[in-house]
């Protein structure tokens, strides 16, 4: 299956401002790209790429005053297989976890593991460990939180989600992540493209968030918002929470004026295969 | 100058629990060690060392039920020179900052840069950029926050410090760090030994916290708690905030029953110089 | 000047629920009414009126399952004089304040006087006491907070307004109230009708909030949102904050489906004057 | 049974400051007094008594610079009967509650009913209404929160208690109150004397807090901290939460230097019975 990925984002920039974009497909998916994945920037300014401590591809630049447009279209090949489900995947005792997963047990800006620890134990401590416990977390969050774009709020933390019970996709994942970490299951935030392949939904208007947990020697995808296996996720970045993997971060004023994201299946015959 | 560093920490462990310790001197100071710096653990259990994403030396192990003792004494050579002061150190525009400093501009668990951003601009936006602005941040925090061990509180964030105006050394640094980041100055939390060399203080009863900011192509030490150049800091770890660099993190119950830290100048003639 | 006041509010009630409405003009304005001010309720259910501890007229009832409509139109005579401005009004030392104003110096749900105390002193402590200090508070809040209906949020407190700097009219007043109380100036929240008389605004779509402070032996109107004297306020209720004077409080689910408020000047000749 | 009640409180006052004291026994217990209950103040300054909106006896004065001492000893006759237990006391539907109880269903500074509403329903919604539901609230709070004087913190709210699980007696009551209100059971905070009559405790060092709920046409005493019927409570004040009924409120700096409270049974024969 081939999926066309693209975005078209515009800002009005009142004064020159440094920005970082996470708009490249994640290194783990680069082998699947079937077209170049290079951000176009207008006006053209020098771009610098680098990899952050979480392994994500970042692009930084200084946006000049005026209208700034970031856009791209690329093509990715996808297995067409829904997110894996592995009910017998076991939970590792912390002592067995790989070193590099331990950071995903700790607190982060939007995931107050410390303050949600007792609550997580009360809610999920009696659930048998492993895949089912993570699924129980997702089921709980999915059932208790009411989705609404009007509920988007930049500073909402996992604890706020727990009390307020409203939010957008990032809020669902933050609460689920905090619960998993409180249960000693490494969990990290993921952002990327998620089209409507195989689901009767309206087209996506935004990038999507999900999360990953480490069970049985690997990272697995969970999604407390959709809470059902999906086809065609194209990962951009993972990190501790949304603070680490903002699509764009501007170190000064930058007013978003246009935002369009596309992730749609395309016909294999129509797909072009430029060398990359 | 030679400084003897040491700690003696005991826990009562109700059930086997995985722990991570950051009790090794930071790699940047390893060349200055004049004695081995190996944590002793009693009872003896296998120790695994690794370096985290921030570059700190970590030691992990599974503590068995019962009394656990972590201890060590080592010796470090120190320049005896107080923390550098460089009033002309300039502030970098974000566009010029090295890639690996950018993470220290972002939010973290105890430093809500997003929520303190307007406040930082109001308080320090008119201060000329550079060293003086960071010093102004430290002066403000030092003057406004009242120290008291009885004010120690595990969940206090920079915003809480800003409103409550009480705290211990970590609280001072968290608020100063959040202000610096909000002003687009990379700032990271540091933990280590800080004796009373050259100051008429009572001996330290704890590890100390300070912070580092990136100005004029390098990281510099600031300390909003003491707010005066000090001699003999021995760095252990740096990270986004205290959540990243806890001296010990236990993934389950571990009750602290003894805690002693030493950092004292020793006579060169008395200092032993085993090969390391 | 005559002002027609009215509202038309509908709820869908999933199950019988007790409600309290504060939809009557405040007792202090009853002498100005030129038409009856009786809430119509459909379906007709028994209404009980009472006065709360703050002196407001409340109406309670049990709403049956189904559609509930609360509506009314009344007529009030208004001086047509803008809110009084009295720059020489003096501030009372707390020791001189009337007993019944003291409660308006204390904390309340949305006004964390305790946590905003130091901040208020830093911002306004040097401003000469009296009317000018309250005006300085209003000027600051008005300048710093950005209005937007999309920013309405039920749980936002004064401290949240201080950090987030966005809100609707109630948020402006909460922050101003908390600052005044922290400065030892009694301040209370007010809700009522505020039309667009004399101002080039779009018609009001909601009830409005303002606040009152006690200076120079009386309560005065301030409005940190509009921050300019206005004509035609018709007070409904005063209390510590929005929690005390919700237009409607339902002790169970009640889904708002229609909300219309009118406050418009009418021709004296057209105004009917039924005996009341 | 006769109980001697008394207090001896000293402040250092850096500059003249207005204060309000709630140190008189509550009007409901005045008939039980067997000695005068007049606060002594040294130095002697004019005292003004008044009753607040919650029905409590308050005393206000302006403390001069220097040492301020508030003290008193009085005698109260007590039934000697433990707090009433009435397992069949029924819960009123809100529609049936007396008007003046409704305020005790609302939010207050330290009891965020709004934010704890879903949590309360999840924890106690399935418990049969009435006395048993309130007892279930107390049992939960008593079991989950760890007492410690070192955990006293002035700004801790019910939500903080719910997450942090530590506190002093006021914290227990705040969380229980918020839960009860979220369940539509009127609940108010109470402060007063509570000696160790009938319990093997160390003598009280402080005033105590408990709370009252309205069930079956009357207010009943509950105490989530002690969670067992006690003898000899001498009520001072009730209000929405601790913010309303602080023992002393100072509108400026006042540093507590001495605090002693006594509530002890005395021999009837030794008790003096002056006319009052």
């Amino acid at each position: 299956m081939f999926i066309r990925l693209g975005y078209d984002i515009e800002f009005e920039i009142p004064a020159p401002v440094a920005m970082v974009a996470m708009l490249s497909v994640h290194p783990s998916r680069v082998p699947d790209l079937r077209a170049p994945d290079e951000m176009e920037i207008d006006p053209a300014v020098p771009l610098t790429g680098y990899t952050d401590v979480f392994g994500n591809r970042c692009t930084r630049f200084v946006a000049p005053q005026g209208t700034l447009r970031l856009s791209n279209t690329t093509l990715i090949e996808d297995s067409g297989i829904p997110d894996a489900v592995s009910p017998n995947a076991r939970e590792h005792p912390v002592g067995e976890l790989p070193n590099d997963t331990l950071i995903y047990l700790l607190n982060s800006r939007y995931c107050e593991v410390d303050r949600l620890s007792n609550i997580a134990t009360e809610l999920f401590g009696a659930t048998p460990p492993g895949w089912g416990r993570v699924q129980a977390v997702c089921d709980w969050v999915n059932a208790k939180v009411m989705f609404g774009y009007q509920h988007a709020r930049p500073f909402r933390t996992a604890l706020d989600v727990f009390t307020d019970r409203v939010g957008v996709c990032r809020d669902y994942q933050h609460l689920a992540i905090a619960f998993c970490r409180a249960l000693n299951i490494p969990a990290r935030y993921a952002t990327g493209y998620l089209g409507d392949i195989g689901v009767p939904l309206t087209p996506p208007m935004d990038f999507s968030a999900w999360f990953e947990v480490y069970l049985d020697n690997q990272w697995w995808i969970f999604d407390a918002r959709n809470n059902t296996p999906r086809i065609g996720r194209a990962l951009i970045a993972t990190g501790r929470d949304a603070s680490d993997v903002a699509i764009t971060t501007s170190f000064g004023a930058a007013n978003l004026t246009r935002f369009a994201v596309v992730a749609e299946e395309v016909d294999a015959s129509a797909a072009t295969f430029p060398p990359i």
Side-chain angles (χ1 to χ4, degrees), chain A:
Chain A
M1 175 188 295
F2 297 94
I3 302 175
R4 186 178 309 283
L5 306 175
Y7 54 86
D8 191 350
I9 304 174
E10 273 186 18
F11 294 94
E12 279 302 316
I13 307 290
V17 64
M19 297 183 74
V20 174
M22 288 197 189
L23 283 163
S24 303
V25 166
H26 192 263
S28 61
R29 295 301 304 276
V30 165
D32 300 321
L33 286 171
R34 297 294 170 261
D37 178 28
E38 296 296 331
M39 182 175 81
E40 289 177 46
I41 186 165
D42 177 22
V45 294
L47 301 179
T48 304
Y50 68 100
T51 299
D52 70 13
V53 294
F54 302 104
N56 306 305
R57 296 166 65 204
C58 305
T59 305
R60 56 187 294 199
F61 53 90
V62 177
Q65 185 180 347
T67 301
L68 175 77
R69 185 179 182 196
L70 308 177
S71 61
N72 188 32
T73 307
T74 188
L75 192 72
I76 199 166
E77 185 164 356
D78 193 87
S79 68
I81 300 174
D83 302 332
V85 175
S86 181
N88 296 321
R90 75 186 191 94
E91 208 175 296
H92 295 276
V94 175
E96 285 181 13
L97 286 168
N99 296 332
D100 59 7
T101 65
L102 295 180
I103 195 176
Y104 298 107
L105 291 176
L106 301 182
N107 283 303
S108 58
R109 169 65 182 99
Y110 298 118
C111 300
E112 310 101 323
V113 182
D114 43 10
R115 299 196 70 189
L116 286 160
S117 178
N118 289 304
I119 298 165
T121 302
E122 286 159 12
L123 290 174
F124 308 107
T127 307
W131 182 279
R133 182 180 272 177
V134 178
Q135 188 55 54
V137 167
C138 289
D139 291 347
W140 193 96
V141 173
N142 184 263
K144 296 289 190 180
V145 178
M146 189 171 62
F147 186 87
Y149 286 112
Q150 77 277 20
H151 298 307
R153 181 147 76 74
F155 305 155
R156 185 182 289 125
T157 68
L159 178 57
D160 293 332
V161 182
F162 180 69
T163 59
D164 303 1
R165 305 289 168 91
V166 294
V168 292
C169 64
R170 76 177 219 156
D171 298 305
Y172 286 76
Q173 319 307 344
H174 281 155
L175 181 54
I177 288 168
F179 279 152
C180 287
R181 291 182 190 167
L183 297 164
N184 284 336
I185 304 170
R188 64 188 185 194
Y189 187 89
T191 189
Y193 295 90
L194 176 59
D196 62 346
I197 298 163
V199 287
L201 288 183
T202 52
M205 300 296 292
D206 198 351
F207 290 100
S208 190
W210 56 89
F211 73 110
E212 298 180 353
V213 300
Y214 194 87
L215 293 173
D216 222 351
N217 299 304
Q218 69 175 97
W219 289 99
W220 304 85
I221 290 169
F222 281 85
D223 180 342
R225 160 68 180 117
N226 292 298
N227 204 27
T228 189
R230 292 287 293 269
I231 295 169
R233 298 182 196 267
L235 182 67
I236 289 176
T238 63
R240 288 207 196 171
D241 62 29
S243 218
D244 288 334
V245 294
I247 291 298
T248 60
T249 302
S250 64
F251 297 95
N255 303 309
L256 188 68
T257 51
R258 174 172 162 76
F259 192 86
V261 179
V262 172
E264 57 188 7
E265 189 177 2
V266 290
D267 209 311
S269 61
T272 56
F273 298 90
I276 57 173

